[in-house]
């Protein structure tokens, strides 16, 4: 049986090695539990284009838009100014979602590869996060089990540079009111019902472009 001490030691070792596989955890949710959580974070009668129990600005609801010429289907583009994520589709369209990005200088523009996808992931704050705000992370420094209150929410897309895990994610959030703002410690946040829709359409190996404010999709228009 995996003890709590061994779990912490093993998890620390895995993070130090820039893992490419799933973290060890105290518990693993069953498929039935995942389905129950999905139902919990999905509004009754959910319509992506109109359902808005979160009270976000209507422009942050999912919308199919015309994509710019030359963009590769399957890739993701994150606009730091408008707070949009675009998933490029075949036929010259894209699905657009509202997001929150990192606060201050924690936002890291760049080109990343999505090398992992996880439903109802586990999460552990990085050492940098703990160092910046030890009181905030004191009770969860060893990690959080999956569930609707987990910081990564219902789905996570893991961003890599080469084989290095950057610890940046595109993920669901238990704080939908943050959408449209700058709130995270580096990741791109989405409403859980929205990333649940996006998730099955994203393939591992796809590219994610996180644009700076100077080079955002909007400013290139």
């Amino acid at each position: 049986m995996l003890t709590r001490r061994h779990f912490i030691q093993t998890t620390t070792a895995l993070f130090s090695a820039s893992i490419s596989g799933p973290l060890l955890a105290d518990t693993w949710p069953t498929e039935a539990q995942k389905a129950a959580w999905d139902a919990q974070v999905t509004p009754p009668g959910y319509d992506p284009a109109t359902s808005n129990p979160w009270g976000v600005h209507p422009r942050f609801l999912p919308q199919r838009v015309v994509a710019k010429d030359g963009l590769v289907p399957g890739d993701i583009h994150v606009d730091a100014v408008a707070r949009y994520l675009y998933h490029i589709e075949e036929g010259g369209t894209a699905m657009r979602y509202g997001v929150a990005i990192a606060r201050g200088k924690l936002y890291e523009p760049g080109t990343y590869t999505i090398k992992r996808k996880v439903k109802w992931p586990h999460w552990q704050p990085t050492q940098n996060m703990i160092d910046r705000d030890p009181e905030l992370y004191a009770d969860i420094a060893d990690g959080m089990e999956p569930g609707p209150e987990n910081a990564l929410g219902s789905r996570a897309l893991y961003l890599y540079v080469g084989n290095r895990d950057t610890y940046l994610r595109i993920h669901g959030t238990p704080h939908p009111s943050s959408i449209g703002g700058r709130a995270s410690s580096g990741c791109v946040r989405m409403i859980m019902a929205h990333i649940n829709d996006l998730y099955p359409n994203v393939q591992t190996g796809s590219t994610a472009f996180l644009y700076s404010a100077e080079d955002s999709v909007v400013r290139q228009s």
Side-chain angles (χ1 to χ4, degrees):
M1 180 177 179
L2 186 65
T3 66
R4 184 67 177 177
R5 179 181 178 186
H6 288 156
F7 164 65
I8 295 170
Q9 291 174 337
T10 305
T11 300
T12 301
L14 284 170
F15 266 87
S16 299
S18 294
I19 60 163
S20 59
L23 293 175
L24 293 176
D26 286 346
T27 60
W28 296 94
T30 64
E31 292 304 312
Q33 181 65 77
K34 292 177 184 178
W37 287 335
D38 280 347
Q40 183 177 334
V41 302
T42 304
Y46 175 57
D47 179 343
T50 61
S51 294
N52 191 11
W54 315 282
V56 300
H57 193 286
R59 74 182 181 92
F60 294 127
L61 298 178
Q63 182 178 342
R64 180 166 280 109
V65 297
V66 176
K68 291 186 176 182
D69 292 338
L71 298 182
V72 176
D75 285 352
I76 283 175
H77 299 260
V78 175
D79 184 332
V81 174
R83 312 288 200 264
Y84 289 142
L85 179 150
Y86 296 88
H87 183 236
I88 309 304
E89 301 175 315
E90 297 282 355
T93 59
M95 280 303 300
R96 189 186 76 190
Y97 303 87
V99 299
I101 64 172
R103 60 186 185 274
K105 295 181 179 180
L106 298 177
Y107 179 71
E108 298 185 40
T111 302
Y112 303 93
T113 302
I114 298 169
K115 286 207 167 184
R116 288 183 63 206
K117 297 170 50 180
V118 180
K119 292 183 178 181
W120 293 105
H122 299 80
W123 175 75
Q124 185 178 34
T126 66
Q127 190 58 51
N128 285 341
M129 294 169 67
I130 296 170
D131 291 343
R132 280 195 302 267
D133 202 338
E135 292 187 5
L136 179 63
Y137 297 108
D139 294 335
I140 55 173
D142 295 336
M144 295 181 70
E145 299 297 318
E149 300 305 315
N150 184 286
L152 295 187
S154 56
R155 305 287 190 275
L157 308 175
Y158 292 66
L159 306 186
Y160 281 66
V161 173
N163 291 321
R164 177 177 64 86
D165 185 357
T166 65
Y167 300 106
L168 300 177
R169 318 289 187 230
I170 298 170
H171 65 83
T173 178
H175 305 293
S177 62
S178 66
I179 298 302
R182 303 193 69 153
S184 76
S185 292
C187 297
V188 175
R189 296 180 177 182
M190 296 179 64
I191 288 172
M192 285 195 260
H194 296 171
I195 197 169
N196 288 1
D197 290 342
L198 171 67
Y199 183 90
N201 299 318
V202 176
Q203 302 298 317
T204 54
S206 299
T207 302
F209 300 90
L210 274 57
Y211 294 94
S212 67
E214 292 74 21
D215 299 322
S216 71
V217 176
V218 164
R219 297 202 178 200
Q220 291 178 359
S221 298

